[in-house]
Amino acid sequence: MRTVALLLFALTIASAQENPRAIVARAVAADDHSDRLARDYTYKVRDEIREFDSAGKVKSTRSTLDEVLYIGGKEYFRPLEKDGKPITPAEAAKEQSKIDRAAAEASRMPQAERDKRLADAERERARRREEFKDIPDAFNFRMIGDVMIDGRPTWQIEAMPRAGYRGRGRNIFSSIEGTLWIDKQDYNWVKFDAEVLKPFSIGWFLARVAAGTHISYEMMRVGSSEKDELWVPKSVSLEASARIALLKRINARQNITFSDYRKFQTDSRIVATGETP
C-alpha cells in the first residue's frame, strides 16, 4: 500500500511539472507566502523616472530613495534621497523621530490590540492581492523550456491572454502577454517580461497605458535560514507610453530597484539576515 501511495505521489508531481498552468498556480501561492513574510523585513527602494521628448531625448529625470519598514502592522516610508541628493539633516531627524515614535508605540501596544492590527493588515494585504489569484485562469500557458538564472534551474513559460476570462483582473490581464520564469525548487517567480497588446487604464490618474509598453520584473531570494527564506522584488522596469487624464501624452522609462533587505523588529533593532544584495 505504501509503495502504491508513493507511486501515485510521484505521478502527481511529474504531472504538475509537465503542466505549465499547475506550475503557475503554485507560483502564485508561493508568491503570496513570500509577500506575507516580507512584512518582517526592511528594505530600500530607488525609483527613477526619465521622461523623453518627441525626438527621444531625455527632458527630465526624477528619483527618490526610501527605506520601507513595517511597524506594528503598518507600512512606513522613510525618505533618504531625492533626485540623487540626501535629504537635509533636519528632514532626516524628523523622519527618524516618526519611526522611533511608531516603534515605541508598537512596543507598548497590548497584545490584543497588536493582534487586531496585524489581522486588519493581513485582510488589507489579501484584498490587494485578490486579482493575482486569477492569473492561472486569465492566461493560456505554454512550456518553452528550461533556463538557468543565477545558477538556479527555472521553467520558462509563455503566457497569452485567454479569450474566455471574465474575472476581476480582465482590464489588465486581457491586455498583456509575456514570458514567465519560475524557480524549479521553490516554485517562485524569478522573472517575467510582458508586452502591452492594447491600451488599458490604471491608477487614480486616468492614465491609459499604450500598446507596445514593455514591463520587466525580477525577483531574488533572501533569508538566513530555511524557515524565513523568501523571494522578494529585485527590480521593475517600465518603458511606457501613456496618456494622462486622456489629454497629455508622455513617453517615460521607470526603473525601480530594491536592495538591503534586512530583518526588522519593532524596537527599531535591525537583525542581519546574512549576505544581502
Short mmCIF file of all heavy atoms in Angstrom, two decimals, residues 212-262:
data_model
loop_
_atom_site.label_atom_id
_atom_site.label_comp_id
_atom_site.label_asym_id
_atom_site.label_seq_id
_atom_site.Cartn_x
_atom_site.Cartn_y
_atom_site.Cartn_z
N GLY A 212 2.36 48.42 -26.82
CA GLY A 212 3.79 48.47 -27.06
C GLY A 212 4.62 48.75 -25.83
O GLY A 212 5.85 48.62 -25.86
N THR A 213 3.98 49.11 -24.72
CA THR A 213 4.70 49.32 -23.47
C THR A 213 5.32 48.00 -23.00
O THR A 213 4.68 46.95 -23.06
CB THR A 213 3.75 49.87 -22.39
OG1 THR A 213 3.26 51.15 -22.80
CG2 THR A 213 4.46 50.01 -21.05
N HIS A 214 6.56 48.05 -22.54
CA HIS A 214 7.28 46.86 -22.10
C HIS A 214 7.47 46.89 -20.58
O HIS A 214 7.86 47.92 -20.02
CB HIS A 214 8.64 46.76 -22.77
CG HIS A 214 9.42 45.55 -22.35
ND1 HIS A 214 9.16 44.29 -22.86
CD2 HIS A 214 10.43 45.40 -21.46
CE1 HIS A 214 9.99 43.42 -22.30
NE2 HIS A 214 10.77 44.06 -21.44
N ILE A 215 7.19 45.78 -19.93
CA ILE A 215 7.32 45.66 -18.48
C ILE A 215 8.25 44.49 -18.17
O ILE A 215 8.08 43.40 -18.72
CB ILE A 215 5.96 45.43 -17.80
CG1 ILE A 215 4.97 46.54 -18.18
CG2 ILE A 215 6.11 45.34 -16.29
CD1 ILE A 215 3.54 46.23 -17.79
N SER A 216 9.21 44.70 -17.28
CA SER A 216 10.11 43.63 -16.84
C SER A 216 10.17 43.63 -15.32
O SER A 216 10.25 44.70 -14.70
CB SER A 216 11.51 43.83 -17.42
OG SER A 216 12.36 42.78 -17.03
N TYR A 217 10.12 42.45 -14.73
CA TYR A 217 10.06 42.32 -13.27
C TYR A 217 10.96 41.17 -12.85
O TYR A 217 10.87 40.08 -13.40
CB TYR A 217 8.61 42.05 -12.86
CG TYR A 217 8.33 42.06 -11.38
CD1 TYR A 217 8.15 43.25 -10.70
CD2 TYR A 217 8.20 40.87 -10.67
CE1 TYR A 217 7.86 43.26 -9.35
CE2 TYR A 217 7.91 40.87 -9.32
CZ TYR A 217 7.74 42.08 -8.66
OH TYR A 217 7.45 42.08 -7.31
N GLU A 218 11.86 41.42 -11.90
CA GLU A 218 12.78 40.38 -11.43
C GLU A 218 12.68 40.22 -9.92
O GLU A 218 12.47 41.19 -9.19
CB GLU A 218 14.22 40.71 -11.82
CG GLU A 218 14.49 40.69 -13.31
CD GLU A 218 15.95 40.87 -13.64
OE1 GLU A 218 16.80 40.27 -12.94
OE2 GLU A 218 16.25 41.62 -14.58
N MET A 219 12.85 38.97 -9.47
CA MET A 219 12.81 38.65 -8.05
C MET A 219 14.16 38.08 -7.62
O MET A 219 14.97 37.65 -8.45
CB MET A 219 11.72 37.62 -7.77
CG MET A 219 10.33 38.00 -8.24
SD MET A 219 9.52 39.18 -7.16
CE MET A 219 9.06 38.11 -5.78
N MET A 220 14.41 38.04 -6.30
CA MET A 220 15.61 37.40 -5.77
C MET A 220 15.27 36.74 -4.43
O MET A 220 14.28 37.06 -3.78
CB MET A 220 16.72 38.44 -5.57
CG MET A 220 16.39 39.58 -4.64
SD MET A 220 17.72 40.81 -4.64
CE MET A 220 16.98 42.11 -3.63
N ARG A 221 16.13 35.83 -4.04
CA ARG A 221 15.91 35.01 -2.84
C ARG A 221 16.74 35.57 -1.69
O ARG A 221 17.93 35.81 -1.84
CB ARG A 221 16.33 33.58 -3.15
CG ARG A 221 15.83 32.50 -2.24
CD ARG A 221 16.11 31.16 -2.92
NE ARG A 221 15.62 30.02 -2.16
CZ ARG A 221 16.40 29.14 -1.57
NH1 ARG A 221 17.72 29.29 -1.62
NH2 ARG A 221 15.89 28.11 -0.93
N VAL A 222 16.12 35.79 -0.53
CA VAL A 222 16.83 36.26 0.65
C VAL A 222 16.40 35.43 1.85
O VAL A 222 15.43 34.67 1.80
CB VAL A 222 16.56 37.76 0.94
CG1 VAL A 222 16.97 38.63 -0.22
CG2 VAL A 222 15.10 37.99 1.29
N GLY A 223 17.12 35.59 2.96
CA GLY A 223 16.80 34.85 4.18
C GLY A 223 18.02 34.15 4.72
O GLY A 223 18.89 33.71 3.97
N SER A 224 18.09 34.03 6.05
CA SER A 224 19.26 33.44 6.69
C SER A 224 19.08 31.97 7.01
O SER A 224 20.01 31.29 7.41
CB SER A 224 19.58 34.21 7.98
OG SER A 224 18.46 34.19 8.85
N SER A 225 17.87 31.45 6.88
CA SER A 225 17.61 30.04 7.19
C SER A 225 16.42 29.58 6.36
O SER A 225 15.70 30.38 5.76
CB SER A 225 17.30 29.86 8.68
OG SER A 225 16.08 30.51 9.02
N GLU A 226 16.20 28.26 6.32
CA GLU A 226 15.08 27.72 5.56
C GLU A 226 13.75 28.23 6.09
O GLU A 226 12.78 28.37 5.35
CB GLU A 226 15.10 26.19 5.60
CG GLU A 226 16.27 25.57 4.83
CD GLU A 226 16.17 24.07 4.79
OE1 GLU A 226 15.17 23.54 5.31
OE2 GLU A 226 17.10 23.43 4.26
N LYS A 227 13.71 28.54 7.38
CA LYS A 227 12.46 28.98 7.99
C LYS A 227 11.98 30.31 7.45
O LYS A 227 10.78 30.52 7.27
CB LYS A 227 12.63 29.06 9.52
CG LYS A 227 11.37 29.46 10.26
CD LYS A 227 11.60 29.52 11.76
CE LYS A 227 10.34 29.94 12.50
NZ LYS A 227 10.55 30.02 13.96
N ASP A 228 12.92 31.23 7.21
CA ASP A 228 12.49 32.56 6.78
C ASP A 228 12.97 32.92 5.37
O ASP A 228 13.01 34.10 5.01
CB ASP A 228 12.94 33.63 7.77
CG ASP A 228 14.47 33.71 7.90
OD1 ASP A 228 15.17 33.02 7.15
OD2 ASP A 228 14.92 34.47 8.75
N GLU A 229 13.35 31.92 4.57
CA GLU A 229 13.71 32.21 3.19
C GLU A 229 12.47 32.66 2.43
O GLU A 229 11.38 32.11 2.59
CB GLU A 229 14.30 30.97 2.52
CG GLU A 229 15.75 30.71 2.91
CD GLU A 229 16.30 29.44 2.27
OE1 GLU A 229 15.49 28.68 1.72
OE2 GLU A 229 17.51 29.22 2.34
N LEU A 230 12.65 33.66 1.59
CA LEU A 230 11.55 34.16 0.79
C LEU A 230 12.09 34.81 -0.46
O LEU A 230 13.27 35.13 -0.57
CB LEU A 230 10.69 35.16 1.57
CG LEU A 230 11.30 36.53 1.89
CD1 LEU A 230 10.18 37.54 2.12
CD2 LEU A 230 12.19 36.48 3.13
N TRP A 231 11.21 35.02 -1.44
CA TRP A 231 11.55 35.70 -2.67
C TRP A 231 10.97 37.10 -2.61
O TRP A 231 9.81 37.28 -2.22
CB TRP A 231 11.00 34.94 -3.87
CG TRP A 231 11.75 33.68 -4.15
CD1 TRP A 231 11.63 32.48 -3.49
CD2 TRP A 231 12.74 33.48 -5.16
NE1 TRP A 231 12.48 31.55 -4.03
CE2 TRP A 231 13.18 32.14 -5.07
CE3 TRP A 231 13.30 34.29 -6.15
CZ2 TRP A 231 14.14 31.61 -5.92
CZ3 TRP A 231 14.25 33.77 -7.00
CH2 TRP A 231 14.67 32.44 -6.89
N VAL A 232 11.78 38.07 -2.97
CA VAL A 232 11.39 39.48 -2.86
C VAL A 232 11.71 40.19 -4.18
O VAL A 232 12.52 39.72 -4.97
CB VAL A 232 12.14 40.16 -1.70
CG1 VAL A 232 11.73 39.57 -0.36
CG2 VAL A 232 13.65 40.06 -1.89
N PRO A 233 11.07 41.34 -4.41
CA PRO A 233 11.37 42.09 -5.64
C PRO A 233 12.83 42.51 -5.70
O PRO A 233 13.42 42.90 -4.70
CB PRO A 233 10.45 43.30 -5.54
CG PRO A 233 9.32 42.86 -4.67
CD PRO A 233 9.95 41.94 -3.65
N LYS A 234 13.40 42.44 -6.89
CA LYS A 234 14.76 42.89 -7.16
C LYS A 234 14.75 44.14 -8.02
O LYS A 234 15.44 45.12 -7.72
CB LYS A 234 15.54 41.79 -7.85
CG LYS A 234 16.97 42.16 -8.20
CD LYS A 234 17.68 40.99 -8.90
CE LYS A 234 19.10 41.35 -9.28
NZ LYS A 234 19.77 40.22 -10.00
N SER A 235 13.97 44.13 -9.08
CA SER A 235 13.89 45.30 -9.95
C SER A 235 12.62 45.25 -10.78
O SER A 235 12.09 44.17 -11.07
CB SER A 235 15.11 45.40 -10.86
OG SER A 235 15.13 44.33 -11.77
N VAL A 236 12.13 46.42 -11.13
CA VAL A 236 10.99 46.56 -12.02
C VAL A 236 11.34 47.66 -13.02
O VAL A 236 11.82 48.72 -12.63
CB VAL A 236 9.70 46.97 -11.27
CG1 VAL A 236 8.53 47.07 -12.25
CG2 VAL A 236 9.38 45.99 -10.17
N SER A 237 11.15 47.39 -14.28
CA SER A 237 11.37 48.42 -15.29
C SER A 237 10.15 48.54 -16.17
O SER A 237 9.49 47.53 -16.48
CB SER A 237 12.61 48.13 -16.14
OG SER A 237 12.44 46.96 -16.90
N LEU A 238 9.87 49.76 -16.56
CA LEU A 238 8.68 50.04 -17.37
C LEU A 238 9.05 51.07 -18.42
O LEU A 238 9.45 52.19 -18.09
CB LEU A 238 7.56 50.57 -16.48
CG LEU A 238 6.27 51.02 -17.16
CD1 LEU A 238 5.52 49.81 -17.69
CD2 LEU A 238 5.39 51.79 -16.19
N GLU A 239 8.98 50.66 -19.66
CA GLU A 239 9.14 51.61 -20.77
C GLU A 239 7.75 51.89 -21.29
O GLU A 239 7.15 51.04 -21.96
CB GLU A 239 10.05 51.02 -21.85
CG GLU A 239 11.48 50.79 -21.37
CD GLU A 239 12.39 50.29 -22.48
OE1 GLU A 239 12.04 50.50 -23.65
OE2 GLU A 239 13.43 49.70 -22.15
N ALA A 240 7.24 53.08 -20.98
CA ALA A 240 5.82 53.32 -21.15
C ALA A 240 5.53 54.50 -22.06
O ALA A 240 6.27 55.48 -22.11
CB ALA A 240 5.17 53.56 -19.78
N SER A 241 4.41 54.34 -22.72
CA SER A 241 3.79 55.45 -23.42
C SER A 241 2.39 55.54 -22.85
O SER A 241 1.63 54.57 -22.89
CB SER A 241 3.74 55.17 -24.92
OG SER A 241 3.07 56.21 -25.60
N ALA A 242 2.05 56.66 -22.27
CA ALA A 242 0.76 56.78 -21.58
C ALA A 242 0.13 58.12 -21.86
O ALA A 242 0.79 59.10 -22.21
CB ALA A 242 0.94 56.58 -20.08
N ARG A 243 -1.18 58.17 -21.66
CA ARG A 243 -1.91 59.41 -21.82
C ARG A 243 -2.54 59.74 -20.48
O ARG A 243 -3.34 58.98 -19.95
CB ARG A 243 -2.98 59.28 -22.91
CG ARG A 243 -3.58 60.61 -23.33
CD ARG A 243 -4.53 60.43 -24.51
NE ARG A 243 -3.86 59.95 -25.71
CZ ARG A 243 -3.23 60.75 -26.55
NH1 ARG A 243 -3.17 62.04 -26.33
NH2 ARG A 243 -2.65 60.24 -27.63
N ILE A 244 -2.16 60.90 -19.90
CA ILE A 244 -2.64 61.30 -18.58
C ILE A 244 -3.92 62.11 -18.73
O ILE A 244 -4.00 63.04 -19.52
CB ILE A 244 -1.58 62.15 -17.84
CG1 ILE A 244 -0.27 61.37 -17.73
CG2 ILE A 244 -2.08 62.54 -16.46
CD1 ILE A 244 -0.36 60.11 -16.93
N ALA A 245 -4.92 61.72 -17.93
CA ALA A 245 -6.23 62.39 -17.95
C ALA A 245 -6.80 62.43 -19.37
O ALA A 245 -7.57 63.31 -19.73
CB ALA A 245 -6.13 63.80 -17.38
N LEU A 246 -6.41 61.44 -20.18
CA LEU A 246 -6.88 61.29 -21.56
C LEU A 246 -6.49 62.46 -22.44
O LEU A 246 -7.00 62.60 -23.56
CB LEU A 246 -8.40 61.10 -21.59
CG LEU A 246 -8.94 59.97 -20.70
CD1 LEU A 246 -10.45 59.87 -20.84
CD2 LEU A 246 -8.30 58.64 -21.06
N LEU A 247 -5.56 63.31 -21.99
CA LEU A 247 -5.18 64.50 -22.74
C LEU A 247 -3.69 64.53 -23.05
O LEU A 247 -3.27 64.43 -24.19
CB LEU A 247 -5.58 65.77 -21.97
CG LEU A 247 -7.09 65.97 -21.73
CD1 LEU A 247 -7.31 67.17 -20.83
CD2 LEU A 247 -7.79 66.17 -23.07
N LYS A 248 -2.86 64.66 -22.00
CA LYS A 248 -1.41 64.81 -22.18
C LYS A 248 -0.76 63.45 -22.40
O LYS A 248 -0.96 62.53 -21.62
CB LYS A 248 -0.80 65.49 -20.96
CG LYS A 248 0.71 65.66 -21.05
CD LYS A 248 1.27 66.23 -19.76
CE LYS A 248 2.80 66.32 -19.84
NZ LYS A 248 3.39 66.82 -18.58
N ARG A 249 0.04 63.34 -23.45
CA ARG A 249 0.74 62.11 -23.74
C ARG A 249 2.18 62.21 -23.24
O ARG A 249 2.84 63.22 -23.46
CB ARG A 249 0.74 61.81 -25.23
CG ARG A 249 1.30 60.43 -25.57
CD ARG A 249 1.19 60.14 -27.06
NE ARG A 249 1.58 58.77 -27.34
CZ ARG A 249 0.79 57.71 -27.21
NH1 ARG A 249 -0.44 57.88 -26.79
NH2 ARG A 249 1.22 56.50 -27.47
N ILE A 250 2.68 61.17 -22.56
CA ILE A 250 4.04 61.15 -22.07
C ILE A 250 4.74 59.86 -22.53
O ILE A 250 4.10 58.84 -22.73
CB ILE A 250 4.11 61.23 -20.53
CG1 ILE A 250 3.47 59.99 -19.89
CG2 ILE A 250 3.47 62.50 -20.00
CD1 ILE A 250 3.75 59.87 -18.41
N ASN A 251 6.05 59.96 -22.73
CA ASN A 251 6.89 58.80 -23.01
C ASN A 251 7.93 58.76 -21.90
O ASN A 251 8.69 59.72 -21.73
CB ASN A 251 7.56 58.92 -24.38
CG ASN A 251 6.54 58.85 -25.50
OD1 ASN A 251 5.88 57.84 -25.68
ND2 ASN A 251 6.41 59.94 -26.26
N ALA A 252 7.96 57.68 -21.15
CA ALA A 252 8.82 57.63 -19.97
C ALA A 252 9.39 56.24 -19.75
O ALA A 252 8.84 55.24 -20.24
CB ALA A 252 8.05 58.08 -18.73
N ARG A 253 10.47 56.21 -19.03
CA ARG A 253 11.09 54.95 -18.60
C ARG A 253 11.25 55.00 -17.09
O ARG A 253 11.87 55.92 -16.56
CB ARG A 253 12.43 54.74 -19.28
CG ARG A 253 13.13 53.43 -18.87
CD ARG A 253 14.44 53.28 -19.61
NE ARG A 253 14.22 53.27 -21.05
CZ ARG A 253 15.13 53.66 -21.95
NH1 ARG A 253 16.30 54.11 -21.55
NH2 ARG A 253 14.85 53.60 -23.24
N GLN A 254 10.69 54.03 -16.41
CA GLN A 254 10.76 53.98 -14.96
C GLN A 254 11.52 52.74 -14.54
O GLN A 254 11.23 51.63 -14.99
CB GLN A 254 9.36 53.96 -14.35
CG GLN A 254 9.35 53.97 -12.83
CD GLN A 254 7.94 54.10 -12.25
OE1 GLN A 254 6.96 53.91 -12.96
NE2 GLN A 254 7.84 54.44 -10.99
N ASN A 255 12.51 52.93 -13.67
CA ASN A 255 13.29 51.82 -13.12
C ASN A 255 13.20 51.86 -11.59
O ASN A 255 13.53 52.87 -10.98
CB ASN A 255 14.75 51.91 -13.55
CG ASN A 255 14.94 51.66 -15.03
OD1 ASN A 255 14.60 50.60 -15.54
ND2 ASN A 255 15.46 52.64 -15.74
N ILE A 256 12.74 50.77 -11.02
CA ILE A 256 12.63 50.66 -9.57
C ILE A 256 13.54 49.52 -9.12
O ILE A 256 13.42 48.40 -9.64
CB ILE A 256 11.19 50.38 -9.13
CG1 ILE A 256 10.24 51.43 -9.71
CG2 ILE A 256 11.08 50.34 -7.61
CD1 ILE A 256 8.77 51.12 -9.46
N THR A 257 14.44 49.79 -8.21
CA THR A 257 15.35 48.76 -7.71
C THR A 257 15.19 48.62 -6.20
O THR A 257 14.98 49.60 -5.49
CB THR A 257 16.81 49.08 -8.06
OG1 THR A 257 17.14 50.40 -7.57
CG2 THR A 257 17.03 49.05 -9.55
N PHE A 258 15.30 47.39 -5.72
CA PHE A 258 15.12 47.06 -4.31
C PHE A 258 16.42 46.48 -3.78
O PHE A 258 17.06 45.66 -4.44
CB PHE A 258 13.99 46.04 -4.15
CG PHE A 258 12.67 46.47 -4.74
CD1 PHE A 258 12.45 46.34 -6.11
CD2 PHE A 258 11.66 46.99 -3.95
CE1 PHE A 258 11.24 46.73 -6.67
CE2 PHE A 258 10.45 47.38 -4.50
CZ PHE A 258 10.24 47.25 -5.87
N SER A 259 16.83 46.88 -2.58
CA SER A 259 18.11 46.43 -2.03
C SER A 259 18.08 46.45 -0.51
O SER A 259 17.14 46.94 0.12
CB SER A 259 19.25 47.31 -2.55
OG SER A 259 19.06 48.66 -2.12
N ASP A 260 19.17 45.92 0.08
CA ASP A 260 19.40 45.97 1.53
C ASP A 260 18.24 45.38 2.33
O ASP A 260 17.78 45.99 3.30
CB ASP A 260 19.68 47.40 1.99
CG ASP A 260 20.97 47.95 1.42
OD1 ASP A 260 21.84 47.15 1.04
OD2 ASP A 260 21.11 49.18 1.34
N TYR A 261 17.78 44.20 1.94
CA TYR A 261 16.74 43.53 2.73
C TYR A 261 17.33 43.06 4.05
O TYR A 261 18.35 42.36 4.07
CB TYR A 261 16.19 42.33 1.96
CG TYR A 261 15.24 42.70 0.85
CD1 TYR A 261 15.69 42.94 -0.43
CD2 TYR A 261 13.87 42.81 1.10
CE1 TYR A 261 14.81 43.26 -1.46
CE2 TYR A 261 12.98 43.13 0.09
CZ TYR A 261 13.46 43.36 -1.19
OH TYR A 261 12.58 43.69 -2.20
N ARG A 262 16.70 43.44 5.14
CA ARG A 262 17.15 43.03 6.47
C ARG A 262 15.95 42.77 7.37
O ARG A 262 14.92 43.41 7.25
CB ARG A 262 18.03 44.13 7.10
CG ARG A 262 19.37 44.33 6.40
CD ARG A 262 20.06 45.59 6.90
NE ARG A 262 19.35 46.79 6.46
CZ ARG A 262 19.62 48.02 6.92
NH1 ARG A 262 20.57 48.20 7.82
NH2 ARG A 262 18.96 49.07 6.46
#
